[in-house]
Coordinates of all heavy atoms in Angstrom, one line a residue:
S257 N 123.4 77.9 104.8 CA 122.9 77.5 106.1 C 121.5 76.9 105.9 O 120.9 77.1 104.8 CB 122.9 78.6 107.1 OG 121.9 79.5 106.9
W258 N 121.0 76.3 106.9 CA 119.7 75.7 106.8 C 118.5 76.7 106.9 O 117.4 76.4 106.5 CB 119.5 74.7 108.0 CG 119.6 75.3 109.3 CD1 120.8 75.5 110.0 CD2 118.6 75.9 110.1 NE1 120.5 76.2 111.2 CE2 119.2 76.4 111.3 CE3 117.2 76.1 109.9 CZ2 118.4 77.1 112.3 CZ3 116.5 76.7 110.9 CH2 117.1 77.2 112.0
F259 N 118.8 77.9 107.3 CA 117.8 78.9 107.6 C 117.1 79.4 106.3 O 115.9 79.5 106.2 CB 118.4 80.1 108.3 CG 117.4 81.2 108.6 CD1 116.4 81.0 109.6 CD2 117.4 82.4 107.9 CE1 115.5 81.9 109.9 CE2 116.4 83.3 108.2 CZ 115.5 83.1 109.2
S260 N 117.9 79.6 105.2 CA 117.3 80.1 103.9 C 116.3 79.1 103.3 O 115.2 79.5 103.0 CB 118.4 80.3 103.0 OG 119.3 81.4 103.4
P261 N 116.6 77.8 103.2 CA 115.6 76.9 102.6 C 114.3 76.8 103.4 O 113.2 76.7 102.9 CB 116.3 75.6 102.4 CG 117.7 75.8 102.8 CD 117.9 77.1 103.3
V262 N 114.5 76.8 104.8 CA 113.4 76.7 105.7 C 112.5 77.9 105.5 O 111.3 77.8 105.4 CB 113.8 76.4 107.1 CG1 112.6 76.6 108.1 CG2 114.5 75.1 107.3
L263 N 113.1 79.1 105.5 CA 112.3 80.3 105.3 C 111.6 80.4 104.0 O 110.5 80.8 103.9 CB 113.2 81.5 105.5 CG 112.6 82.9 105.4 CD1 111.5 83.1 106.5 CD2 113.6 84.0 105.4
A264 N 112.3 79.9 102.9 CA 111.7 79.9 101.6 C 110.5 78.9 101.6 O 109.5 79.3 101.0 CB 112.7 79.5 100.6
F265 N 110.6 77.8 102.2 CA 109.5 76.8 102.2 C 108.3 77.4 103.0 O 107.2 77.3 102.5 CB 110.0 75.5 102.8 CG 108.9 74.5 103.0 CD1 108.4 73.8 101.9 CD2 108.3 74.2 104.2 CE1 107.4 72.9 102.0 CE2 107.3 73.3 104.3 CZ 106.8 72.7 103.2
V266 N 108.6 78.0 104.1 CA 107.5 78.5 105.0 C 106.8 79.6 104.2 O 105.6 79.7 104.2 CB 108.0 79.0 106.3 CG1 107.0 79.8 107.1 CG2 108.5 77.7 107.2
L267 N 107.6 80.6 103.6 CA 107.0 81.7 102.9 C 106.2 81.2 101.7 O 105.1 81.7 101.4 CB 108.1 82.7 102.5 CG 107.6 83.9 101.8 CD1 106.7 84.7 102.7 CD2 108.8 84.8 101.5
F268 N 106.7 80.2 101.0 CA 106.0 79.6 99.9 C 104.7 79.0 100.3 O 103.6 79.3 99.7 CB 106.8 78.6 99.1 CG 106.1 77.8 98.1 CD1 105.8 78.4 96.9 CD2 105.6 76.5 98.4 CE1 105.0 77.7 95.9 CE2 104.9 75.8 97.4 CZ 104.6 76.4 96.2
R269 N 104.7 78.3 101.4 CA 103.4 77.6 101.9 C 102.4 78.7 102.3 O 101.2 78.6 102.1 CB 103.7 76.7 103.0 CG 104.5 75.4 102.6 CD 103.8 74.7 101.5 NE 102.4 74.2 101.9 CZ 101.4 74.1 101.1 NH1 101.5 74.2 99.8 NH2 100.3 73.7 101.6
V270 N 102.9 79.8 103.0 CA 102.0 80.8 103.4 C 101.4 81.5 102.2 O 100.1 81.7 102.2 CB 102.8 81.9 104.3 CG1 102.0 83.1 104.5 CG2 103.1 81.3 105.6
L271 N 102.1 81.8 101.2 CA 101.6 82.4 100.0 C 100.7 81.5 99.2 O 99.7 81.9 98.7 CB 102.7 82.9 99.1 CG 103.5 84.1 99.6 CD1 104.7 84.4 98.7 CD2 102.6 85.4 99.7
D272 N 101.0 80.2 99.2 CA 100.2 79.2 98.5 C 98.8 79.0 99.2 O 97.8 78.8 98.5 CB 101.0 77.9 98.4 CG 100.3 77.0 97.4 OD1 99.7 77.4 96.4 OD2 100.3 75.8 97.7
I273 N 98.8 79.1 100.5 CA 97.6 78.9 101.2 C 96.8 80.2 101.3 O 95.6 80.2 101.1 CB 97.9 78.4 102.7 CG1 98.4 77.0 102.6 CG2 96.6 78.4 103.5 CD1 99.0 76.5 103.9
W274 N 97.4 81.3 101.6 CA 96.8 82.6 101.7 C 96.3 83.1 100.4 O 95.2 83.7 100.3 CB 97.7 83.6 102.4 CG 97.2 84.9 102.6 CD1 96.0 85.3 103.0 CD2 97.9 86.2 102.3 NE1 95.9 86.7 103.1 CE2 97.1 87.2 102.6 CE3 99.2 86.4 101.8 CZ2 97.4 88.5 102.5 CZ3 99.5 87.8 101.7 CH2 98.7 88.8 102.0
K275 N 97.0 82.9 99.3 CA 96.7 83.3 98.0 C 96.3 84.8 97.9 O 95.2 85.2 97.7 CB 95.6 82.5 97.4 CG 95.9 81.0 97.3 CD 94.8 80.3 96.5 CE 95.0 78.8 96.5 NZ 96.3 78.3 96.3
P276 N 97.4 85.7 97.9 CA 97.1 87.1 97.7 C 96.6 87.4 96.3 O 96.6 86.4 95.4 CB 98.4 87.8 98.0 CG 99.4 86.7 97.9 CD 98.8 85.4 98.2
W277 N 96.3 88.6 95.9 CA 95.6 88.9 94.7 C 96.0 88.2 93.4 O 95.1 87.5 92.8 CB 95.6 90.4 94.4 CG 95.0 90.7 93.1 CD1 93.8 90.6 92.6 CD2 95.8 91.2 92.0 NE1 93.7 90.9 91.3 CE2 94.9 91.3 90.9 CE3 97.1 91.5 91.8 CZ2 95.4 91.7 89.6 CZ3 97.6 91.9 90.5 CH2 96.7 92.0 89.5
P278 N 97.1 88.3 92.9 CA 97.3 87.7 91.6 C 97.3 86.2 91.6 O 96.8 85.5 90.7 CB 98.7 88.1 91.1 CG 99.2 89.1 92.1 CD 98.3 89.1 93.3
I279 N 97.7 85.6 92.8 CA 97.6 84.2 92.9 C 96.2 83.7 93.0 O 95.8 82.7 92.3 CB 98.4 83.7 94.1 CG1 99.9 84.1 94.0 CG2 98.3 82.2 94.3 CD1 100.7 83.9 95.2
S280 N 95.3 84.4 93.7 CA 93.9 84.0 93.8 C 93.2 84.2 92.5 O 92.3 83.4 92.2 CB 93.2 84.8 94.9 OG 93.2 86.2 94.6
W281 N 93.6 85.2 91.7 CA 92.9 85.4 90.4 C 93.2 84.3 89.5 O 92.3 83.8 88.8 CB 93.4 86.7 89.8 CG 92.7 87.1 88.6 CD1 91.6 87.8 88.4 CD2 93.0 86.6 87.2 NE1 91.2 87.9 87.1 CE2 92.1 87.1 86.4 CE3 94.1 85.9 86.7 CZ2 92.1 86.9 85.0 CZ3 94.1 85.6 85.3 CH2 93.1 86.2 84.5
C282 N 94.4 83.8 89.5 CA 94.8 82.7 88.6 C 94.1 81.4 89.1 O 93.6 80.6 88.2 CB 96.3 82.4 88.6 SG 97.2 83.7 87.8
D283 N 94.0 81.2 90.4 CA 93.3 80.0 90.9 C 91.8 80.0 90.6 O 91.2 79.0 90.3 CB 93.5 80.0 92.4 CG 93.1 78.7 93.0 OD1 93.4 77.6 92.4 OD2 92.6 78.6 94.1
E284 N 91.2 81.2 90.6 CA 89.7 81.3 90.3 C 89.4 81.4 88.9 O 88.3 80.8 88.5 CB 89.2 82.5 91.0 CG 89.3 82.5 92.6 CD 89.0 83.8 93.2 OE1 88.7 84.8 92.5 OE2 89.1 83.9 94.4
H285 N 90.2 82.0 88.0 CA 89.8 82.3 86.6 C 90.4 81.4 85.6 O 90.0 81.4 84.5 CB 90.1 83.8 86.3 CG 89.3 84.7 87.0 ND1 89.6 85.2 88.2 CD2 88.1 85.3 86.7 CE1 88.6 86.1 88.6 NE2 87.7 86.1 87.7
I286 N 91.4 80.6 86.0 CA 92.0 79.7 85.0 C 91.7 78.3 85.5 O 92.0 77.9 86.5 CB 93.6 79.9 84.9 CG1 93.9 81.3 84.5 CG2 94.2 78.9 84.0 CD1 95.4 81.6 84.5
S287 N 90.9 77.6 84.6 CA 90.3 76.3 85.0 C 91.3 75.2 84.8 O 92.3 75.3 84.0 CB 89.1 76.1 84.3 OG 89.3 76.0 82.9
G288 N 91.1 74.1 85.5 CA 91.8 72.9 85.3 C 93.2 72.9 86.0 O 93.5 73.7 86.9
G289 N 94.0 72.1 85.5 CA 95.4 71.9 86.1 C 96.3 73.1 85.8 O 97.2 73.4 86.6
A290 N 96.0 73.9 84.7 CA 96.8 75.1 84.4 C 96.7 76.1 85.5 O 97.7 76.7 85.9 CB 96.4 75.7 83.1
G291 N 95.5 76.3 86.1 CA 95.3 77.3 87.1 C 95.9 76.9 88.4 O 96.5 77.7 89.1
I292 N 95.9 75.6 88.7 CA 96.5 75.0 89.9 C 98.0 75.2 89.8 O 98.7 75.6 90.8 CB 96.1 73.6 90.1 CG1 94.6 73.5 90.4 CG2 96.9 72.9 91.2 CD1 94.0 72.1 90.4
M293 N 98.6 74.9 88.6 CA 100.0 75.0 88.5 C 100.5 76.4 88.5 O 101.5 76.8 89.0 CB 100.4 74.3 87.1 CG 100.3 72.8 87.1 SD 101.5 72.0 88.2 CE 102.9 72.3 87.3
L294 N 99.7 77.3 87.8 CA 100.1 78.7 87.7 C 100.1 79.4 89.1 O 100.9 80.2 89.4 CB 99.2 79.4 86.7 CG 99.7 80.8 86.4 CD1 101.1 80.8 85.8 CD2 98.7 81.4 85.3
D295 N 99.1 79.0 89.9 CA 99.1 79.7 91.3 C 100.3 79.2 92.1 O 100.9 80.0 92.9 CB 97.8 79.5 92.0 CG 97.7 78.2 92.7 OD1 98.4 77.2 92.4 OD2 96.8 78.1 93.7
D296 N 100.8 78.0 91.9 CA 102.0 77.5 92.6 C 103.3 78.2 92.0 O 104.2 78.6 92.8 CB 102.2 76.0 92.4 CG 101.2 75.2 93.2 OD1 100.7 75.8 94.2 OD2 100.9 74.1 92.8
V297 N 103.3 78.4 90.7 CA 104.4 79.1 90.1 C 104.5 80.6 90.6 O 105.6 81.1 90.9 CB 104.3 79.1 88.5 CG1 105.3 80.0 87.9 CG2 104.5 77.7 88.0
L298 N 103.3 81.2 90.6 CA 103.3 82.6 91.1 C 103.7 82.7 92.6 O 104.4 83.6 93.0 CB 101.9 83.2 90.9 CG 101.6 83.6 89.5 CD1 100.2 84.1 89.4 CD2 102.6 84.7 89.0
A299 N 103.3 81.7 93.4 CA 103.6 81.7 94.8 C 105.2 81.6 94.9 O 105.8 82.2 95.8 CB 102.9 80.6 95.6
G300 N 105.7 80.7 94.1 CA 107.2 80.5 94.1 C 107.9 81.8 93.6 O 108.9 82.2 94.2
L301 N 107.4 82.4 92.6 CA 108.0 83.7 92.1 C 107.9 84.8 93.2 O 108.9 85.5 93.4 CB 107.3 84.1 90.8 CG 107.8 85.4 90.2 CD1 109.2 85.1 89.7 CD2 106.8 85.8 89.0
F302 N 106.8 84.9 93.8 CA 106.7 85.9 94.9 C 107.6 85.6 96.1 O 108.2 86.5 96.7 CB 105.3 86.0 95.4 CG 104.3 86.7 94.5 CD1 104.7 87.2 93.3 CD2 103.0 87.0 94.8 CE1 103.9 87.9 92.4 CE2 102.1 87.6 94.0 CZ 102.6 88.1 92.8
T303 N 107.8 84.3 96.4 CA 108.7 83.9 97.4 C 110.1 84.3 97.0 O 110.9 84.9 97.8 CB 108.6 82.4 97.7 OG1 107.3 82.1 98.1 CG2 109.6 82.0 98.7
C304 N 110.5 84.1 95.8 CA 111.8 84.4 95.3 C 112.1 85.9 95.4 O 113.1 86.4 95.8 CB 112.0 83.9 93.9 SG 113.6 84.2 93.2
I305 N 111.1 86.7 95.0 CA 111.2 88.2 95.0 C 111.3 88.7 96.5 O 112.2 89.5 96.8 CB 110.0 88.8 94.3 CG1 110.1 88.6 92.8 CG2 110.0 90.3 94.6 CD1 108.9 88.9 92.0
A306 N 110.5 88.1 97.3 CA 110.5 88.6 98.7 C 111.9 88.2 99.4 O 112.4 89.0 100.1 CB 109.4 87.9 99.5
L307 N 112.4 87.0 99.1 CA 113.6 86.6 99.7 C 114.8 87.5 99.2 O 115.7 87.8 99.9 CB 113.9 85.1 99.6 CG 113.0 84.2 100.4 CD1 113.3 82.8 100.1 CD2 113.2 84.5 101.9
N308 N 114.7 87.8 97.9 CA 115.8 88.6 97.3 C 115.8 90.0 98.0 O 116.9 90.6 98.3 CB 115.6 88.8 95.8 CG 116.3 87.7 95.1 OD1 117.5 87.4 95.4 ND2 115.7 87.1 94.1
F309 N 114.6 90.6 98.2 CA 114.6 91.9 98.9 C 115.1 91.8 100.3 O 115.8 92.6 100.8 CB 113.1 92.5 98.9 CG 112.8 93.2 97.6 CD1 111.7 92.7 96.8 CD2 113.5 94.2 97.1 CE1 111.4 93.3 95.6 CE2 113.2 94.9 95.9 CZ 112.1 94.4 95.2
L310 N 114.7 90.7 100.9 CA 115.1 90.5 102.3 C 116.6 90.3 102.5 O 117.2 91.0 103.3 CB 114.4 89.3 102.9 CG 114.7 88.9 104.4 CD1 114.1 90.0 105.3 CD2 114.1 87.6 104.7
W311 N 117.2 89.5 101.6 CA 118.6 89.2 101.7 C 119.5 90.4 101.3 O 120.6 90.6 101.7 CB 119.0 88.0 100.9 CG 118.5 86.7 101.5 CD1 118.1 85.7 100.7 CD2 118.2 86.3 102.8 NE1 117.6 84.7 101.5 CE2 117.7 85.0 102.8 CE3 118.4 86.9 104.0 CZ2 117.3 84.4 103.9 CZ3 118.0 86.3 105.2 CH2 117.5 85.0 105.1
R312 N 118.9 91.3 100.4 CA 119.7 92.4 99.9 C 119.6 93.6 100.8 O 120.3 94.6 100.6 CB 119.3 92.7 98.5 CG 119.7 91.7 97.5 CD 119.1 92.0 96.1 NE 119.3 90.9 95.2 CZ 120.3 90.8 94.4 NH1 121.2 91.7 94.4 NH2 120.4 89.7 93.6
S313 N 118.6 93.6 101.7 CA 118.4 94.8 102.6 C 119.6 94.9 103.6 O 120.1 93.9 104.0 CB 117.1 94.7 103.3 OG 117.1 93.7 104.2
E314 N 120.0 96.1 103.9 CA 121.1 96.4 104.7 C 120.9 95.9 106.1 O 121.8 95.3 106.7 CB 121.4 97.9 104.7 CG 122.7 98.3 105.4 CD 122.9 99.7 105.3 OE1 122.7 100.3 104.3 OE2 123.4 100.3 106.3
W315 N 119.7 96.1 106.7 CA 119.5 95.7 108.1 C 119.5 94.2 108.2 O 120.0 93.6 109.3 CB 118.2 96.3 108.6 CG 117.0 95.8 108.0 CD1 116.4 96.3 106.9 CD2 116.2 94.7 108.3 NE1 115.3 95.6 106.5 CE2 115.1 94.6 107.4 CE3 116.3 93.7 109.3 CZ2 114.2 93.6 107.5 CZ3 115.3 92.7 109.4 CH2 114.3 92.7 108.5
T316 N 119.1 93.4 107.2 CA 119.1 92.0 107.3 C 120.6 91.5 107.3 O 120.9 90.6 108.0 CB 118.4 91.3 106.1 OG1 117.1 91.8 106.1 CG2 118.4 89.8 106.2
Q317 N 121.4 92.1 106.5 CA 122.8 91.7 106.4 C 123.5 92.0 107.7 O 124.3 91.2 108.2 CB 123.5 92.5 105.3 CG 123.1 92.0 103.9 CD 123.7 92.8 102.8 OE1 124.5 93.7 103.0 NE2 123.3 92.5 101.6
K318 N 123.2 93.2 108.4 CA 123.8 93.5 109.6 C 123.4 92.5 110.7 O 124.2 92.0 111.5 CB 123.4 94.9 110.1 CG 124.1 96.0 109.3 CD 123.6 97.3 109.8 CE 124.3 98.4 109.0 NZ 123.8 99.8 109.4
I319 N 122.1 92.1 110.7 CA 121.6 91.2 111.7 C 122.2 89.8 111.5 O 122.7 89.1 112.4 CB 120.1 91.1 111.7 CG1 119.5 92.3 112.2 CG2 119.6 89.9 112.5 CD1 118.0 92.4 112.0
F320 N 122.3 89.4 110.2 CA 122.9 88.1 109.9 C 124.3 88.0 110.3 O 124.8 87.1 111.0 CB 122.7 87.7 108.4 CG 123.3 86.5 108.0 CD1 122.8 85.2 108.4 CD2 124.5 86.5 107.3 CE1 123.3 84.0 108.0 CE2 125.1 85.3 106.9 CZ 124.5 84.1 107.3
F321 N 125.1 89.0 109.9 CA 126.5 89.0 110.1 C 126.8 89.1 111.6 O 127.7 88.5 112.2 CB 127.3 90.0 109.3 CG 127.4 89.7 107.9 CD1 126.8 90.5 106.9 CD2 127.9 88.5 107.4 CE1 126.9 90.2 105.6 CE2 128.0 88.1 106.1 CZ 127.5 89.0 105.2
Y322 N 126.0 89.9 112.3 CA 126.2 90.0 113.8 C 125.9 88.7 114.4 O 126.7 88.2 115.3 CB 125.3 91.1 114.3 CG 125.3 91.2 115.8 CD1 126.4 91.7 116.5 CD2 124.3 90.7 116.6 CE1 126.5 91.8 117.9 CE2 124.3 90.7 118.0 CZ 125.4 91.3 118.6 OH 125.5 91.3 120.0
G323 N 124.9 88.0 114.0 CA 124.5 86.7 114.5 C 125.6 85.7 114.3 O 125.9 84.9 115.2
V324 N 126.2 85.7 113.1 CA 127.3 84.8 112.8 C 128.5 85.0 113.7 O 129.0 84.1 114.2 CB 127.7 84.9 111.3 CG1 129.0 84.1 111.0 CG2 126.6 84.4 110.4
H325 N 128.8 86.3 113.9 CA 129.9 86.6 114.8 C 129.7 86.2 116.2 O 130.6 85.7 116.9 CB 130.3 88.1 114.7 CG 130.9 88.5 113.4 ND1 132.0 87.9 112.8 CD2 130.5 89.3 112.4 CE1 132.3 88.4 111.7 NE2 131.4 89.3 111.4
V326 N 128.5 86.4 116.7 CA 128.1 86.0 118.0 C 128.2 84.5 118.2 O 128.8 84.0 119.1 CB 126.7 86.5 118.4 CG1 126.2 85.8 119.7 CG2 126.7 88.0 118.5
V327 N 127.7 83.7 117.2 CA 127.7 82.3 117.3 C 129.2 81.8 117.2 O 129.6 80.9 118.0 CB 126.9 81.6 116.2 CG1 127.1 80.1 116.1 CG2 125.4 81.9 116.5
E328 N 130.0 82.4 116.4 CA 131.4 82.0 116.3 C 132.1 82.3 117.6 O 132.9 81.4 118.0 CB 132.1 82.8 115.1 CG 131.7 82.3 113.8 CD 132.4 83.1 112.7 OE1 133.0 84.2 113.0 OE2 132.3 82.7 111.5
S329 N 131.9 83.4 118.2 CA 132.5 83.7 119.5 C 132.1 82.7 120.6 O 132.9 82.3 121.4 CB 132.3 85.1 119.9 OG 131.0 85.4 120.2
W330 N 130.8 82.4 120.6 CA 130.3 81.4 121.6 C 131.0 80.0 121.3 O 131.3 79.3 122.3 CB 128.8 81.2 121.5 CG 128.0 82.4 122.1 CD1 128.5 83.4 122.8 CD2 126.7 82.6 121.9 NE1 127.5 84.3 123.1 CE2 126.4 83.8 122.5 CE3 125.7 82.0 121.2 CZ2 125.1 84.4 122.6 CZ3 124.4 82.5 121.2 CH2 124.1 83.7 121.9
W331 N 131.1 79.6 120.1 CA 131.7 78.4 119.7 C 133.2 78.3 120.1 O 133.6 77.3 120.7 CB 131.5 78.1 118.2 CG 132.0 76.7 117.8 CD1 133.0 76.5 117.0 CD2 131.4 75.5 118.1 NE1 133.1 75.1 116.8 CE2 132.1 74.5 117.5 CE3 130.3 75.1 118.9 CZ2 131.8 73.1 117.6 CZ3 130.0 73.8 119.0 CH2 130.8 72.8 118.4
K332 N 133.9 79.4 119.8 CA 135.3 79.5 120.2 C 135.5 79.4 121.7 O 136.4 78.7 122.3 CB 136.0 80.7 119.7 CG 136.2 80.6 118.2 CD 136.8 81.9 117.7 CE 136.9 81.9 116.1 NZ 137.4 83.1 115.6
A333 N 134.6 80.1 122.5 CA 134.6 80.1 123.9 C 134.3 78.7 124.4 O 134.9 78.2 125.4 CB 133.7 81.1 124.5
F334 N 133.4 78.0 123.8 CA 133.0 76.6 124.2 C 134.2 75.7 124.0 O 134.4 74.8 124.8 CB 131.8 76.2 123.4 CG 131.3 74.8 123.7 CD1 130.7 74.5 124.9 CD2 131.6 73.8 122.8 CE1 130.4 73.2 125.2 CE2 131.2 72.5 123.0 CZ 130.6 72.2 124.3
L335 N 134.9 75.8 122.9 CA 135.9 74.9 122.6 C 137.2 75.2 123.4 O 138.1 74.3 123.5 CB 136.3 74.9 121.1 CG 135.2 74.4 120.1 CD1 135.6 74.6 118.7 CD2 134.9 72.9 120.5
A336 N 137.3 76.4 123.9 CA 138.6 76.8 124.6 C 138.7 76.1 125.9 O 137.9 75.5 126.5 CB 138.6 78.3 124.8

């Protein structure tokens, strides 16, 4: 669905702008293009880890599957 890539992009941008500890350390202590590239790589890695925890959690799966069933039932009722 379109939700996953949008959430990944938003989370990546938030981490890239906010720069929590390891990302900010790389940005400040590694000079030149390597530091700029490494902070983007770390922001992407943290995004991947966060999304994996989010998608694997039980409550997220319940909310997602419940939402899918609700939308399917609305769609079937609309088409009927």
Side-chain angles (χ1 to χ4, degrees):
S257 78
W258 60 270
F259 183 71
S260 296
V262 170
L263 181 62
F265 176 74
V266 169
L267 185 57
F268 171 77
R269 290 304 300 151
V270 166
L271 288 173
D272 192 36
I273 293 168
W274 178 44
K275 297 189 189 314
W277 169 68
I279 299 171
S280 64
W281 185 89
C282 288
D283 192 38
E284 294 168 2
H285 291 88
I286 299 174
S287 62
I292 295 170
M293 292 290 289
L294 191 57
D295 83 339
D296 289 338
V297 169
L298 286 176
L301 181 65
F302 285 2
T303 299
C304 183
I305 291 169
L307 288 178
N308 273 313
F309 279 120
L310 182 67
W311 294 144
R312 291 175 189 265
S313 68
E314 185 176 325
W315 64 271
T316 305
Q317 291 175 1
K318 288 180 181 177
I319 290 171
F320 176 74
F321 288 122
Y322 175 73
V324 168
H325 291 301
V326 168
V327 170
E328 285 178 351
S329 64
W330 288 346
W331 186 248
K332 287 178 184 177
F334 176 74
L335 292 177

